[in-house]
Amino acid sequence: MREILTVKNLSVIYKVEERKIHALKEVSFSLREGEILGVVGESGSGKTTLGLSILSLLDEKAYASGRILFEGRDIFSLSEQELLDIRGRKIGLIFQEPAASFNPVLTIGYQFREILQKKLNLKEKNLVSQIIYDSFKRVKLVDEERILRSYPHTLSGGQLQRIAIAFSIALSPLILIADEPTSNLDITVESQIIHLFLRLKEELNLSVIFITHNLDLAKVICDRIGVLYKGKMREIREKETLFREPKDPYTKELIEAFKKLE
Amino acid sequence: MKLLQVEKVKKYFVHKRKVVRALDGVDLFVEEGQTSALVGESGCGKTTLAKVVVGLYPPQAGKIYLKGEEITSKRNKAFLRRNVQMVFQNPYLSLDPRCTIFFSLYEALSIFTKIKKKEAVPFLEELLKSVELPESTLWRYPHQLSGGQLQRVCIARSLINNPSLLILDEPTSALDISTTVKIIDLLLKIQEEKSVGFLFISHNLKLVKHLAWWVFVMYYGKIVEFAPKDLIYKNPLHPYTKLLLDATTLKLKDIPESTLPERGCRFFSRCPYKKDMCLKEPTLIEIENNHFLACYLKRK
């Protein structure tokens, strides 16, 4: 399978009050086309930093080294304008807290149209409504007229996360990075969103980096899983072999804890 | 006699001029030294029930008995406080960030026992050992400890006055998986040693399996099914229980959003088996030995 994104020796250091915190240490991996790659780790392992690095969204206190290759170019060498073309358009990002992904004082419809206008330069009304309608249908949102008129606080967490996913796929990106997209949702909603990701991956041939701390989820959704611990990628393998015979001592411990709860 | 007996407890809130029936006649019990688990989605009233039991909310109707004593009345406040303790979901928010662990524990200790600070030290060191923490933890501040360690401190604090009932409100949902397993082991050990009753509140049926004797399934402020653990897992009868189990194993695909109907069975809008008779709300009755269900499906 073709590799669509390659991360080489990525290290990220945060400088906090003269102290250096190594969030990522020499992380290397590649994402294959059409796969869901899980990045599993405990809190503080560097999962979110990894997701943000790929879109070059780290704040100024962070120092990154290494290379992230996408479409033959190094993300870190791109200008701000070139990055804007990649963010959203080519690589979408879905966050943990759905409510925080939206502007609370604007309607969903306004925000959706704004994204389409800014990112795709679409102004023609019919085309815009068509895209909105299609993406809502893909994420199985019904009652789209009402949702478009609604403000974020009137919708449930599950609905908002579906809308966030609809926003992302409307720009038809090649890669989606999902950073704990279900950990603030109810288990019944979580299960549905997971199946939504699986379906979208098939329908749109998306490549997904799925960041999570939940091994149950990773086991269901991912093709391959990478285990991140204290900023290091300890092991990255096919899901089945990882669960059957973990090699790294930390992964072993994690899988054992997981199996104890089975 | 049951350790805790909750009978027809109601708690309504008024929100934007609408009445929210958070608890709408809940029956539940915990047996001495055993664990009853309360499961359901967020917003179904789990935490409200916990707060009513510990006396943080007065119930609008219904009775709560602890060891046969009614604890909803003012007269039994001290009895209630000594015997019922709660461990919350987020250990970071449960301890005062400006106090050492020693002070947080000593404060709880000094409520029922007159003891000088110096004399309390060996006792508290012993207590921390019982939750598998080093003695030196006593002199740390919350920010110096990890989430798992803090939750151990919270458990230790809740045990200080030897309560007979612990209410554990999602005690591991803020923790990582390896820590969760260790906390569950610790809780089982404590229960065996001290024979404390647990009311374990969770949305995670996988965890509940490791702790509970009885499982109570709650939906929109009412218990819809309860039975011993094995019956719930092997033979779930209420469509909502099945839905929760499917969600736990991530098999659940598209279902309707939950809405509470005006009348009738509260699960009506999501139920795949709904019939006309469901417009009248089913009551909780014993369908087979020890297995209680509020649904017409299995009735003859």
Side-chain angles (χ1 to χ4, degrees), chain B residues 199-241:
Chain B
L199 176 58
F200 188 83
I201 297 176
S202 181
H203 62 262
N204 187 339
L205 280 158
K206 218 172 146 184
L207 275 187
V208 163
K209 209 173 179 176
H210 290 265
L211 281 159
W213 267 261
W214 287 85
V215 178
F216 294 78
V217 182
M218 194 165 176
Y219 189 70
Y220 272 120
K222 219 164 198 175
I223 302 294
V224 293
E225 180 172 6
F226 76 91
K229 175 180 69 180
D230 289 343
L231 282 176
I232 290 280
Y233 285 90
K234 286 190 191 121
N235 185 24
L237 294 177
H238 201 284
Y240 181 61
T241 313

Side-chain angles (χ1 to χ4, degrees), chain A residues 140-195:
Chain A
K140 292 215 169 157
L141 273 170
V142 283
D143 204 4
E144 68 267 3
E145 287 302 319
R146 187 183 61 82
I147 289 177
L148 288 173
R149 271 184 276 113
S150 309
Y151 289 91
H153 72 271
T154 59
L155 302 165
S156 71
Q159 279 174 323
L160 286 175
Q161 200 59 297
R162 273 179 205 268
I163 296 167
I165 296 169
F167 278 20
S168 294
I169 60 166
L171 304 174
S172 41
L174 300 166
I175 300 175
L176 262 193
I177 300 173
D179 187 0
E180 303 253 15
T182 61
S183 58
N184 281 355
L185 304 174
D186 243 320
I187 47 163
T188 49
V189 183
E190 178 173 65
S191 175
Q192 296 179 66
I193 298 279
I194 290 303
H195 285 281

Side-chain angles (χ1 to χ4, degrees), chain A residues 45-64:
Chain A
S45 61
K47 304 185 299 267
T48 299
T49 303
L50 180 62
L52 294 177
S53 313
I54 293 171
L55 284 172
S56 193
L57 284 169
L58 296 166
D59 63 34
E60 60 264 26
K61 279 184 200 137
Y63 298 87

Side-chain angles (χ1 to χ4, degrees), chain B residues 43-70:
Chain B
C44 77
K46 302 189 299 274
T47 299
T48 307
L49 182 71
K51 288 188 171 173
V52 168
V53 174
V54 293
L56 288 171
Y57 289 146
Q60 253 109 19
K63 297 256 154 69
I64 303 172
Y65 300 94
L66 187 75
K67 298 179 183 173
E69 300 268 342
E70 202 193 324

Side-chain angles (χ1 to χ4, degrees), chain A residues 80-98:
Chain A
E80 198 58 25
Q81 191 55 46
E82 287 169 314
L83 281 171
L84 283 179
D85 282 341
I86 288 183
R87 290 180 191 145
R89 283 282 302 275
K90 301 235 161 111
I91 305 179
L93 185 55
I94 289 160
F95 295 97
Q96 176 169 359
E97 170 57 55

Side-chain angles (χ1 to χ4, degrees), chain B:
Chain B
M1 187 175 51
K2 307 263 197 273
L3 173 64
L4 176 79
Q5 179 90 44
V6 174
E7 281 178 8
K8 307 244 174 314
V9 161
K10 290 187 179 182
K11 176 73 195 170
Y12 295 173
F13 294 99
V14 178
H15 178 68
K16 289 183 184 165
R17 296 192 181 177
K18 271 190 198 155
V19 176
V20 180
R21 293 176 287 172
L23 301 177
D24 205 5
V26 173
D27 297 292
L28 176 143
F29 58 82
V30 180
E31 309 233 35
E32 217 145 309
Q34 289 195 355
T35 303
S36 289
L38 178 63
V39 298
E41 287 167 276
S42 43
C44 77
K46 302 189 299 274
T47 299
T48 307
L49 182 71
K51 288 188 171 173
V52 168
V53 174
V54 293
L56 288 171
Y57 289 146
Q60 253 109 19
K63 297 256 154 69
I64 303 172
Y65 300 94
L66 187 75
K67 298 179 183 173
E69 300 268 342
E70 202 193 324
I71 51 172
T72 24
S73 64
K74 277 214 171 98
R75 186 161 50 86
N76 282 327
K77 270 269 145 77
F79 171 74
L80 165 71
R81 285 174 181 167
R82 194 181 259 271
N83 276 292
V84 183
Q85 285 297 323
M86 187 154 167
V87 176
F88 295 91
Q89 179 171 2
N90 191 337
Y92 298 93
L93 301 178
S94 308
L95 294 160
D96 191 327
R98 293 172 302 176
C99 299
T100 55
I101 301 303
F102 170 78
F103 189 82
S104 289
L105 293 177
Y106 176 75
E107 201 178 17
L109 180 65
S110 59
I111 292 172
F112 291 107
T113 331
K114 284 224 155 66
I115 185 168
K116 285 194 182 122
K117 278 187 184 162
K118 259 190 191 159
E119 291 160 11
V121 174
F123 174 79
L124 294 179
E125 281 176 347
E126 212 42 51
L127 183 74
L128 286 179
K129 268 194 224 158
S130 74
V131 293
E132 291 151 15
L133 283 175
E135 300 160 5
S136 56
T137 316
L138 218 45
W139 311 108
R140 304 240 179 270
Y141 285 90
H143 72 267
Q144 296 172 304
L145 302 177
S146 70
Q149 288 171 320
L150 288 177
Q151 198 58 296
R152 282 169 197 270
V153 171
C154 293
I155 292 171
R157 182 171 62 175
S158 69
L159 292 170
I160 273 183
N161 292 307
N162 283 320
S164 44
L165 176 67
L166 263 197
I167 296 177
L168 301 150
D169 188 4
E170 307 246 16
T172 62
S173 63
L175 306 175
D176 288 315
I177 174 167
S178 37
T179 321
T180 298
V181 172
K182 287 177 196 146
I183 295 282
I184 296 293
D185 284 344
L186 173 69
L187 288 172
L188 287 169
K189 193 188 92 182
I190 288 169
Q191 187 163 56
E192 199 168 293
E193 280 169 8
K194 305 198 166 194
S195 133
V196 199
F198 290 164
L199 176 58
F200 188 83
I201 297 176
S202 181
H203 62 262
N204 187 339
L205 280 158
K206 218 172 146 184
L207 275 187
V208 163
K209 209 173 179 176
H210 290 265
L211 281 159
W213 267 261
W214 287 85
V215 178
F216 294 78
V217 182
M218 194 165 176
Y219 189 70
Y220 272 120
K222 219 164 198 175
I223 302 294
V224 293
E225 180 172 6
F226 76 91
K229 175 180 69 180
D230 289 343
L231 282 176
I232 290 280
Y233 285 90
K234 286 190 191 121
N235 185 24
L237 294 177
H238 201 284
Y240 181 61
T241 313
K242 289 180 192 164
L243 186 148
L244 274 185
L245 283 166
D246 277 352
T248 313
T249 49
L250 294 161
K251 283 188 199 120
L252 188 70
K253 289 190 182 166
D254 302 301
I255 47 156
E257 285 260 327
S258 61
T259 44
L260 184 62
E262 295 269 312
R263 65 198 172 98
C265 177
R266 37 202 70 217
F267 193 60
F268 194 79
S269 64
R270 278 169 138 185
C271 186
Y273 311 106
K274 57 190 165 206
K275 293 190 187 111
D276 289 345
M277 64 166 127
C278 301
L279 289 170
K280 190 174 167 289
E281 187 163 25
T283 49
L284 203 57
I285 59 164
E286 193 167 7
I287 228 88
E288 53 183 348
N289 192 21
N290 275 341
H291 198 155
F292 292 77
L293 179 71
C295 180
Y296 295 116
L297 263 185
K298 296 284 161 185
R299 291 197 197 162
K300 281 156 201 148

